[in-house]
Amino acid sequence: MAGLLLVFSLAGAVPAMAQTGGTTSPGSTTTTTTTTTTAPTGAAQLQPDGTAIAPANAPKQVRKAIAAANKIHTRPYIWGGGHRSFKSRGYDCSGAVSYVLHAAGILSSPMPSGPLMRWGSPGIGSWITVYANAGHAWMTVAGLRFDTSGAGESLNQGSGPRWRVNMRSGTGYTARFYPGL
């Protein structure tokens, strides 16, 4: 919510500054600003409807990942969902992670949690990190957690793939990232 207030206050600040300060010299041009669906900083912002807004400086693959997660963020948890095909009426943990990675163009076929432990390169990515062990997988994208588990939450946000407001510990998980992201 604070992020929305900041965006709206900044959007209103430009016209206000132009009205209260400075002058226009002959021959100068006026520029028009437009609002976009990107957050102003390097971290994605969670919206009240449960979707996320990509940071303005996010690479195209990260924007695609966030858009994909937004498409499935209210789907139910279905064990095995997203494994036969990326498109499913519901997703389990690794099916949801696979769906998002595929949309970003960095995964060609769905993977269960165990194989996600060997996907990409070991370590923490700048934009996208997958956390996997033999029984569960979740990810962070531009600083937000995308997970089917509500671990670490004080309020139940529902089962199935969701942007989660709280981070969780990576202890017991293998962290993996795609080079360059």
Side-chain angles (χ1 to χ4, degrees):
M1 186 68 159
L4 277 177
L5 293 175
L6 175 65
V7 170
F8 288 124
S9 66
L10 289 175
V14 173
M17 288 186 296
Q19 292 170 7
T20 59
T23 60
T24 305
S25 59
S28 67
T29 60
T30 304
T31 58
T32 304
T33 59
T34 59
T35 58
T36 63
T37 56
T38 58
T41 65
Q45 292 180 358
L46 187 61
Q47 300 301 293
D49 68 354
T51 61
I53 294 178
N57 61 335
K60 184 177 183 179
Q61 291 165 303
V62 173
R63 292 191 310 269
K64 286 182 172 188
I66 290 171
N70 286 342
K71 284 182 182 178
I72 65 169
H73 87 280
T74 58
R75 299 281 174 94
Y77 180 91
I78 297 176
W79 188 81
H83 287 269
R84 185 175 302 174
S85 168
F86 285 114
K87 294 185 181 188
S88 181
R89 65 180 187 84
Y91 294 86
D92 69 5
C93 59
S94 56
V97 168
S98 292
Y99 180 88
V100 172
L101 295 174
H102 176 69
I106 55 179
L107 184 69
S108 59
S109 61
M111 297 178 82
S113 300
L116 281 170
M117 295 171 63
R118 294 177 299 282
W119 170 83
S121 296
I124 306 292
S126 299
W127 290 99
I128 296 174
T129 303
V130 172
Y131 295 87
N133 63 26
H136 187 61
W138 55 282
M139 67 192 313
T140 57
V141 182
L144 287 181
R145 176 176 141 222
F146 192 68
D147 195 348
T148 57
S149 169
E153 294 177 349
S154 57
L155 298 174
N156 182 357
Q157 296 178 34
S159 69
R162 306 281 188 272
W163 290 111
R164 306 292 180 169
V165 294
N166 297 329
M167 279 300 163
R168 65 184 289 177
S169 172
T171 302
Y173 292 89
T174 300
R176 308 292 290 191
F177 73 101
Y178 187 80
L181 295 178

